[in-house]
Amino acid sequence: MSEIAATTVHEAYAFACMKCGYGWEQSYEIEHHVDVHGHAFVVYTADGERVPSPLSTPTCTNCGGHVVRIMRAGRVAGVQELMRKQQTPRAADAAAKDRTVSSAAAPARHWRLSDLLHPFHRR
């Protein structure tokens, strides 16, 4: 036996790319191990796949950039929900003006970095 599994912890993080403004969230299983020599090491898995630590070298899943802000889980989802609520009245106004445009034909919303980070600025 080459290692002994000590504990497994479940963590989730929110990420925002400072290059392209893309935001996403990811859950991880963090396995803490001790090898036969007594040295501790950690293994991260996401969606059943072994991955590098998101805390040491985060990479944007949209543009591949490495300047990524790491936040507690729920931050990106919270901003996206807030943005959805703010867009709803505008979408209703636009639909009332032009009944020929279907909601399926509407362009996808591009999340800008300022959209994701604005609610988190401290005053």
Side-chain angles (χ1 to χ4, degrees):
M1 183 192 239
S2 62
E3 64 185 58
I4 302 168
T7 60
T8 299
V9 179
H10 300 278
E11 292 284 337
Y13 301 100
F15 303 91
C17 179
M18 305 304 263
K19 181 178 177 186
C20 72
Y22 182 72
W24 73 100
E25 298 197 14
Q26 180 67 56
S27 297
Y28 298 90
E29 287 189 1
I30 306 166
E31 301 171 359
H32 295 266
H33 297 271
V34 177
D35 67 17
V36 295
H37 304 291
H39 299 103
F41 67 97
V42 179
V43 174
Y44 287 82
T45 58
D47 301 323
E49 299 286 326
R50 187 174 179 161
V51 295
S53 168
L55 304 177
S56 61
T57 55
T59 302
C60 177
T61 58
N62 184 53
C63 73
H66 295 291
V67 181
V68 176
R69 180 170 180 179
I70 303 169
M71 302 168 282
R72 73 174 188 263
R75 302 288 284 229
V76 172
V79 171
Q80 289 174 338
E81 181 62 25
L82 178 65
M83 295 299 291
R84 240 187 320 276
K85 287 178 181 178
Q86 290 176 346
Q87 294 297 325
T88 302
R90 293 181 196 159
D93 291 344
K97 290 179 184 175
D98 185 5
R99 297 284 181 199
T100 62
V101 177
S102 71
S103 61
R109 173 81 163 102
H110 175 72
W111 298 105
R112 294 181 310 238
L113 181 61
S114 60
D115 292 340
L116 291 170
L117 299 178
H118 180 72
F120 310 125
H121 289 277
R122 295 182 186 180
R123 296 175 213 257

